[in-house]
């Protein structure tokens, strides 16, 4: 007898299966095409599909001294609402996570407050000894300044000494200084430099939010198995023209001309990861030019809407927001198979809704897609066998834990 049985259509690999998933002690115990018996059975009705819990490898949850922008609580509630069961927290906080004691504070801040599971990061800038002490799940390098203003004075040496996978914000510091509008060259130059270093050091590198045709083609041409990259929904669905109409859409790297957006779509099948770069700010900070777009509560729905438009398939979402993140970041306790955490994102592909940011859990009560009608919605989120979000309501207390990326748990 299982604690919980989820019954309905689920996607396993490329196949849509009608069956049951048995959950015991928060773990997937059995995946079956037949019936399973549980203490509790959740029937997922017609038109809905059970996906493995989707993961967002790039979010800025603020907190610390920036609780007015977002807190771990509001940010992870927002994640659950958007169908995300694990988030990767970025370290450009205030104070930034540059030493092991701040890392320990970050760990403590998440404990008991996070509604999703989480991976924790450490910001590299000439502080490798501290990085080794911290034992983060991943490491972040800014090649040029972004929110928080910190960037590496020596990218190669920070990358070389990183104790684990590095996520890099690739925009060239010198070019940003000369051209504050951050043209495509700022990104392309930095990406080429990062690729050179990756060729030399042969260490895991994940290039964040690739936004240019030249950037994506350089990465694909280099084709280094230890190099991955992310693309954001805002770079897939918006352009510079949208920014010209709406200054709130200021973001680093900036929204690009249509030709770049097209290049991302032309290479869509080779994009390993889609991540939101959820970057909440207060309205005042946005008015004063803060860069960043909130995305946790719209990213999956935008992709579902695109599935309905024939631009991608449901399994692409699973590949880019579950399978690849798990593999690339080495998350041992996630995956749609027996023994892994019972995390699920249930979607209704046909449900139509309108984006109303005032109803969102994030403190950033705006969205580039405000007022937009989307077809496709996340209707339920399950974290380790518990239904934690249903029909826009968060259920229960924070139950998030740190993902197992092998740190101290080998
Ligand atoms: O627009 C951005 N906002 N880009 C970044 O790289 C950082 C982020 C933030 O933290 O606000
Ligand atoms: Zn960035
Ligand atoms: Zn970011």
């Amino acid at each position: 007898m299982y604690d919980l049985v989820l019954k309905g259509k689920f996607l396993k690999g490329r196949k849509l299966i009608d069956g049951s998933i048995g959950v015991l002690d928060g773990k997937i115990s059995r995946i079956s095409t037949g019936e399973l018996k549980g203490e509790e059975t959740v029937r997922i009705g017609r038109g809905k599909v059970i996906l493995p819990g989707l993961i967002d490898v790039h979010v800025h949850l603020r907190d610390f001294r920036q609780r007015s922008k977002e807190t771990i609580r509001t940010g992870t509630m927002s994640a659950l609402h958007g169908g995300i069961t694990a988030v990767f927290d970025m370290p450009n906080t205030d104070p930034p996570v540059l030493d092991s004691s701040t890392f320990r504070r970050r760990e403590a801040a998440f404990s008991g407050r996070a509604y999703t599971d989480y991976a924790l990061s450490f910001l590299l800038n000439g502080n490798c000894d501290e990085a080794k002490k911290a034992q983060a799940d991943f490491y972040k390098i800014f090649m040029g300044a972004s929110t928080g203003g910190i960037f590496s004075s020596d990218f190669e040496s920070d990358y070389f000494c990183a104790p684990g996978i590095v996520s890099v914000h690739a925009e060239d510091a010198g070019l940003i200084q000369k051209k504050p509008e951050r043209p495509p060259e700022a990104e392309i130059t930095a990406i080429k430099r990062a690729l050179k270093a990756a060729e030399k050091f042969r260490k895991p590198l994940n290039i964040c939010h690739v936004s240019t045709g030249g950037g994506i083609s350089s990465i694909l041409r280099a084709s280094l198995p230890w190099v991955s990259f992310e693309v954001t929904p805002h770079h897939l669905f918006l352009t510079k023209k949208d920014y010209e109409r709406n200054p709130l859409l200021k973001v680093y790297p900036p929204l690009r001309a249509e030709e770049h957006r097209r290049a991302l779509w032309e290479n869509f099948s080779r994009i390993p990861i889609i991540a939101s770069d959820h970057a909440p700010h207060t309205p005042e900070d946005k008015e004063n030019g803060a860069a960043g777009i909130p995305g946790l509560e719209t990213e999956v729905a935008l992709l579902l809407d695109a599935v309905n438009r024939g631009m991608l398939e449901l399994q692409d979402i699973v590949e880019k927001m579950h399978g690849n993140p798990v593999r690339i970041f080495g998350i041992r306790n996630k995956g749609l198979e027996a023994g892994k955490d019972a995390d699920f994102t249930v979607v209704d592909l046909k449900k139509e809704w309108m984006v109303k940011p005032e109803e969102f859990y994030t403190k950033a009560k705006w969205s580039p897609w405000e007022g937009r009608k989307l077809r496709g919605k996340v209707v339920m989120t399950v974290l380790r066998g518990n239904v934690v979000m249903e029909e826009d309501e968060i259920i229960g207390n924070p139950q998030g834990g740190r993902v197992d990326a092998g740190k101290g748990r080998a």
Side-chain angles (χ1 to χ4, degrees):
M1 178 80 109
Y2 299 98
D3 299 335
L4 171 76
V5 170
L6 271 182
K7 224 178 122 24
K9 279 202 170 50
F10 57 88
L11 202 59
K12 178 130 177 71
R14 311 210 131 241
K15 279 206 206 111
L16 203 54
I17 296 172
D18 215 339
S20 313
I21 303 174
V23 178
L24 206 53
D25 293 329
K27 305 273 186 199
I28 297 169
S29 177
R30 178 135 181 242
I31 300 174
S32 163
T33 48
E35 295 269 332
L36 296 175
K37 265 201 167 355
E39 298 265 347
E40 196 194 335
T41 298
V42 174
R43 269 169 231 282
I44 303 300
R46 273 160 54 99
K48 296 176 189 165
V49 182
I50 306 164
L51 308 180
L54 300 177
I55 297 172
D56 190 331
V57 304
H58 191 143
V59 305
H60 298 267
L61 293 185
R62 317 293 188 205
D63 213 294
F64 281 177
R65 286 188 205 124
Q66 293 180 318
R67 298 174 57 85
S68 56
K69 288 182 197 271
E70 192 80 292
T71 65
I72 289 163
R73 212 180 117 80
T74 57
T76 54
M77 285 171 98
S78 155
L80 282 189
H81 187 212
I84 304 297
T85 52
V87 294
F88 280 48
D89 175 54
M90 285 296 163
N92 61 331
T93 45
D94 180 11
V97 187
L98 281 164
D99 56 71
S100 55
S101 75
T102 309
F103 183 82
R104 295 276 97 82
R105 274 188 59 210
R106 197 74 185 155
E107 219 179 0
F110 268 79
S111 170
R113 293 194 185 91
Y115 282 83
T116 61
D117 283 356
Y118 47 90
L120 297 177
S121 66
F122 183 94
L123 183 52
L124 288 172
N125 184 18
N127 51 350
C128 239
D129 288 347
E130 285 295 310
K132 283 173 186 145
K133 272 196 255 168
Q135 300 246 347
D137 301 309
F138 67 108
Y139 298 82
K140 178 78 186 265
I141 300 178
F142 287 90
M143 295 176 82
S146 187
T147 301
I150 294 170
F151 64 96
S152 265
S153 39
D154 184 346
F155 163 72
E156 282 76 9
S157 105
D158 286 335
Y159 170 39
F160 180 70
C161 79
I165 184 167
V166 167
S167 277
V168 63
H169 178 118
E171 285 190 289
D172 182 80
L175 281 171
I176 292 175
Q177 212 161 39
K178 270 190 240 136
K179 300 181 174 175
E181 76 281 12
R182 302 176 181 234
E185 298 78 72
E187 172 175 297
I188 298 164
T189 306
I191 287 180
K192 286 186 174 160
R193 184 174 162 199
L195 288 170
K196 262 210 181 111
E199 236 167 79
K200 196 156 104 194
F201 302 144
R202 304 175 76 88
K203 298 179 61 181
L205 184 70
N206 175 55
I207 302 174
C208 300
H209 43 51
V210 175
S211 66
T212 57
I216 194 167
S217 60
S218 302
I219 300 170
L220 294 175
R221 216 177 307 122
S223 183
L224 303 171
W226 54 93
V227 172
S228 58
F229 64 99
E230 306 159 11
V231 172
T232 70
H234 49 267
H235 291 115
L236 282 171
F237 294 111
L238 302 169
T239 66
K240 206 169 154 176
K241 285 231 166 69
D242 296 295
Y243 171 58
E244 283 157 8
R245 281 191 290 262
N246 181 3
L248 285 177
L249 301 181
K250 180 172 176 185
V251 65
Y252 300 148
L255 299 179
R256 306 295 188 187
E258 176 63 16
E259 65 193 88
H260 293 285
R261 194 182 80 92
R262 204 174 317 122
L264 298 178
W265 279 102
E266 276 163 9
N267 292 295
F268 188 79
S269 67
R270 297 178 71 192
I271 296 174
I273 298 177
I274 294 177
S276 69
D277 196 5
H278 179 78
H281 292 286
T282 62
E284 298 71 43
D285 290 346
K286 278 309 275 182
E287 249 165 61
N288 294 324
I293 292 175
L296 275 168
E297 278 158 285
T298 43
E299 59 180 327
V300 178
L302 284 165
L303 294 170
L304 294 171
D305 186 72
V307 169
N308 280 312
R309 292 171 194 274
M311 297 160 82
L312 57 126
E313 292 186 51
L314 208 45
Q315 64 226 31
D316 293 315
I317 304 178
V318 175
E319 170 194 287
K320 295 171 202 311
M321 299 191 69
H322 175 81
N324 286 339
V326 165
R327 176 178 56 80
I328 289 164
F329 288 89
I331 308 171
R332 300 166 171 189
N333 54 335
K334 305 294 179 193
L336 187 60
E337 54 183 286
K340 307 291 183 187
D341 287 350
D343 300 343
F344 305 100
T345 302
V346 182
V347 302
D348 184 339
L349 261 168
K350 299 295 163 225
K351 187 160 184 163
E352 297 193 23
W353 64 291
M354 194 196 275
V355 178
K356 292 181 188 158
E358 69 273 16
E359 294 174 0
F360 284 175
Y361 290 89
T362 174
K363 287 198 180 184
K365 301 276 182 240
W366 73 280
S367 164
W369 295 280
E370 170 160 13
R372 181 81 66 91
K373 280 203 185 108
L374 296 177
R375 189 155 197 237
K377 195 172 192 297
V378 174
V379 293
M380 181 189 284
T381 311
V382 179
L383 182 67
R384 277 178 274 107
N386 295 305
V387 176
V388 284
M389 193 284 295
E390 191 172 6
E391 301 290 348
D392 303 314
E393 295 300 323
I394 306 292
I395 300 159
N397 296 317
Q399 296 174 49
R402 194 167 159 193
V403 299
D404 180 3
K407 297 294 169 301
R409 273 159 279 189

